[in-house]
Amino acid sequence: MDYEAVIGLEIHAQLKTESKIFCGCSTRFGDKPNSNTCAVCTGQPGALPVLNRKAVEYAAKAALSLNLNINTTSIFSRKNYFYPDLPKGYQISQFDRPFSEKGTVDLETADRDKEGHIEQWRLKRINISRLHIEEDAGKSLHEGMPESATKSYVDLNRSGTPLAEIVSEPEIASPEEAYEYLTKLKEIILYTGVSDCNMEEGSLRCDANVSVRPRGQKELGTKIEIKNVNSFRFVREALEFEIERQIDVLESGGKIAQETRLYNTNEGKTYSMRSKEQAHDYRYFPEPDLLPLVVDEKWQAKLRAALPELPEVRRRRMISGYGITEYDAQVLTSRKLLADQFESAAKAAKNPKRVANLVQSELMGRVKAKGIEVEQSPISMQGVAMSADLVERGAISGKMLKDLYDLCFERGKDFPVVYQEEGSPRQSTDTSALEKIADELIAANPKQVEQYRSGKKTIIGFFVGKLMTASKGQANPKLVNDLLTKKLES
Ligand SMILES: [Zn+2]
């Protein structure tokens, strides 16, 4: 039988406010355990939360960039459960009246044939059901401490860090799509600057819900939750494993039990963590210590107007504006800083299209060949702009530029440095030597001269080529062209 997977993803993104969501403690990562704590974030009796306006602003920016509608009024709720890193015995979250609802992320997905080969790419819209605001819990440390063999330690520095929880509809059809969705989402959030989305430091975390069903069946299969996977690659791997596992169970006549599983990255397998019987009943109720959160339209409009141009829009604009390919636009816009650097260099240069062209034809290939990211390129965007201007002015030839770029990559140095190290070379504009060669060429090739003079003007390319070769690529092609035209016409 043919099966299909149904996947929904829940992302927790830490909002990078300087202080926590309900107190003034620092959110800095890596400080001494429990040094950034107070009565509020350690859950002392009688301590009262005060909402951090910046956290709401950041959540709003994330929501708007993902096309979510922000509810004018939302409610904070207590999510009750016991855990050592949650001293209050509840997490302040949002439940039935979340901060924002109904957003979208568009991604490109591949239709594949039975062997998995890509048949065609198409646009797919994944709906986001909600983005709500909540506080993070602390951390339990089970290793690396003096008495870790017999004790667990609790660090409450993270307790009370603001989070945006982003929940997709179960509309993702494959592990590849899940990967693509996560990549797009992260890219958009990074552009807004409200989270650094650093998975190693846990500022972006992902839970995945996955079920399988016979293709075409309406009702969903029993879903499994995979908790806390800490890289996009692992999310994809965990889903691949889990889909196979569920199909195997069904094929052998078994039933899927609803449960939460953990992914073991070393083994590439998921393991049962708790079954449905052990699942939490969180007994949500409205947080009595906080007023309903009211976000007025005016403030929303102000935030919306201040949103940066988002990656997809920027990509379209750069493709048409600079005449670069889809792929290069993708690379250049994948991070906002890189796109900003590229555009400021292009704008500062005499001919922006030439900068785009050099990035595309000379820089990207070398970057790829070296197996590095474009940010690690020894030639900066300003370096590309400088080289573009030199070519534009006719100071160096295309051939010289290629050689200089090679040297930059060999030496790991930026273009201006290498250009200076090489003695600021200039292409030959001394025409006397070129004229001499041109005269010789014309004398030696009467047949081609005859063709030119009888109207076959394109034959000039034959002479230009010969002359460029004779000058070892040092001559300015335009100069060569002008000079030959003059001689052939006379
Ligand atoms: Zn605190």
Side-chain angles (χ1 to χ4, degrees):
M1 200 184 299
D2 189 19
Y3 290 90
E4 63 182 3
V6 179
I7 300 164
L9 296 174
E10 282 178 30
I11 315 291
H12 286 92
Q14 254 178 31
L15 300 170
K16 60 175 193 192
T17 53
E18 282 181 33
S19 56
K20 296 185 180 180
I21 185 167
F22 299 124
C23 63
C25 294
S26 169
T27 54
R28 207 169 28 246
F29 182 82
D31 279 2
K32 196 168 148 274
N34 298 306
S35 57
N36 300 323
T37 54
C38 70
V40 174
C41 58
T42 57
Q44 305 302 311
L48 291 172
V50 177
L51 181 58
N52 181 342
R53 187 184 176 91
K54 203 76 186 174
V56 180
E57 182 187 319
Y58 282 0
K61 281 186 175 172
L64 292 171
S65 70
L66 296 167
N67 309 308
L68 285 135
N69 301 312
I70 296 176
N71 291 322
T72 318
T73 305
S74 62
I75 304 283
F76 284 103
S77 293
R78 288 189 182 181
K79 179 179 181 180
N80 298 284
Y81 66 96
F82 171 78
Y83 209 74
D85 61 21
L86 188 76
K88 290 201 296 286
Y90 60 85
Q91 177 193 22
I92 302 178
S93 180
Q94 294 188 305
F95 184 52
D96 48 356
R97 290 174 71 184
F99 181 68
S100 62
E101 293 172 273
K102 293 197 171 72
T104 55
V105 167
D106 289 339
L107 46 97
E108 269 157 58
T109 187
D111 290 330
R112 289 166 195 272
D113 63 15
K114 284 249 169 353
E115 276 84 51
H117 300 125
I118 295 171
E119 282 182 324
Q120 62 163 343
W121 289 94
R122 66 185 160 83
L123 217 61
K124 177 164 176 179
R125 173 158 291 179
I126 304 294
N127 289 293
I128 297 174
S129 52
R130 60 193 274 155
L131 176 155
H132 70 247
I133 305 171
E134 62 183 30
E135 61 175 340
D136 208 346
K139 242 189 250 178
S140 295
L141 309 171
H142 304 291
E143 46 196 54
M145 304 300 280
E147 293 176 68
S148 280
T150 53
K151 290 177 180 163
S152 282
Y153 293 73
V154 172
D155 175 9
L156 295 176
N157 279 354
R158 201 179 67 181
S159 169
T161 300
L163 299 177
E165 179 174 326
I166 305 162
V167 184
S168 85
E169 293 287 346
E171 296 177 342
I172 298 165
S174 67
E176 290 81 29
E177 262 181 41
Y179 185 87
E180 188 66 20
Y181 169 81
L182 291 168
T183 306
K184 277 276 152 74
L185 194 108
K186 177 178 168 184
E187 191 181 273
I188 293 169
I189 292 177
L190 277 177
Y191 259 65
T192 64
V194 303
S195 171
D196 58 23
C197 298
N198 185 332
M199 293 195 92
E200 285 85 54
E201 294 180 0
S203 54
L204 193 71
R205 305 194 288 272
C206 179
D207 302 334
N209 289 304
V210 54
S211 63
V212 297
R213 63 182 169 192
R215 193 173 294 281
Q217 180 183 301
K218 265 237 159 97
E219 59 270 32
L220 293 167
T222 307
K223 81 174 174 194
I224 297 293
E225 184 181 30
I226 310 170
K227 273 269 183 219
N228 268 330
V229 193
N230 64 4
S231 88
F232 292 176
R233 188 166 61 88
F234 290 152
V235 171
R236 185 167 59 192
E237 288 177 11
L239 286 169
E240 277 164 3
F241 173 83
E242 190 53 30
I243 290 166
E244 283 295 312
R245 187 190 71 84
Q246 291 183 22
I247 292 173
D248 283 351
V249 171
L250 294 178
E251 287 280 270
S252 60
K255 266 187 135 179
I256 306 288
Q258 191 174 340
E259 61 183 349
T260 301
R261 296 175 75 89
L262 285 178
Y263 182 61
N264 182 315
T265 53
N266 293 325
E267 297 173 37
K269 292 178 178 170
T270 63
Y271 287 98
S272 183
M273 180 180 143
R274 59 171 180 251
S275 72
K276 201 199 168 200
E277 288 72 43
Q278 298 161 281
H280 296 297
D281 178 357
Y282 294 117
R283 302 273 166 160
Y284 283 96
F285 64 85
E287 165 61 63
D289 292 337
L290 288 166
L291 289 166
L293 171 58
V294 177
V295 178
D296 72 54
E297 302 273 345
K298 244 165 111 184
W299 191 60
Q300 252 194 73
K302 215 175 98 187
L303 292 179
R304 191 187 296 275
L307 275 185
E309 184 182 27
L310 294 170
E312 201 53 49
V313 178
R314 189 167 200 175
R315 209 163 287 148
R316 294 292 134 224
R317 180 174 60 71
M318 280 172 51
I319 290 170
S320 61
Y322 299 103
I324 54 178
T325 64
E326 178 94 33
Y327 174 81
D328 290 339
Q330 184 80 37
V331 174
L332 289 170
T333 55
S334 61
R335 278 155 298 248
K336 183 169 180 293
L337 182 68
L338 181 65
D340 289 347
Q341 283 172 350
F342 166 75
E343 290 214 272
S344 73
K347 279 179 192 138
K350 286 196 183 64
N351 182 349
K353 279 209 175 178
R354 191 185 286 279
V355 174
N357 213 316
L358 286 181
V359 168
Q360 182 156 291
S361 61
E362 301 300 336
L363 190 68
M364 294 298 204
R366 287 177 172 80
V367 162
K368 226 177 168 180
K370 212 163 183 195
I372 55 175
E373 298 286 327
V374 65
E375 282 99 331
Q376 297 156 323
S377 157
I379 305 177
S380 67
M381 288 296 164
Q382 286 91 331
V384 177
M386 178 188 170
S387 68
D389 280 352
L390 287 170
V391 175
E392 193 69 24
R393 283 210 313 268
I396 60 171
S397 66
K399 169 80 171 55
M400 289 164 77
L401 179 130
K402 282 177 202 284
D403 292 343
L404 287 164
Y405 270 37
D406 285 341
L407 289 176
C408 290
F409 273 78
E410 266 171 50
R411 297 178 191 169
K413 291 176 179 168
D414 204 352
F415 185 84
V417 180
V418 169
Y419 186 64
Q420 204 175 20
E421 283 177 356
E422 290 300 296
S424 307
R426 297 192 154 262
Q427 68 181 340
S428 169
T429 46
D430 172 16
T431 52
S432 61
L434 289 175
E435 281 194 56
K436 193 165 157 269
I437 309 170
D439 288 337
E440 285 167 16
L441 280 172
I442 286 172
N445 298 285
K447 228 169 84 193
Q448 282 77 2
V449 174
E450 184 51 43
Q451 285 179 6
Y452 181 88
R453 291 186 175 147
S454 64
K456 196 185 172 197
K457 302 286 183 201
T458 50
I459 198 79
I460 195 169
F462 165 80
F463 291 103
V464 172
K466 290 235 175 243
L467 195 45
M468 288 302 291
T469 312
S471 79
K472 299 192 176 65
Q474 300 289 308
N476 178 340
K478 186 172 178 309
L479 191 90
V480 167
N481 215 319
D482 291 350
L483 188 141
L484 281 165
T485 309
K486 207 174 78 196
K487 292 210 180 282
L488 289 164
E489 305 267 323
S490 66

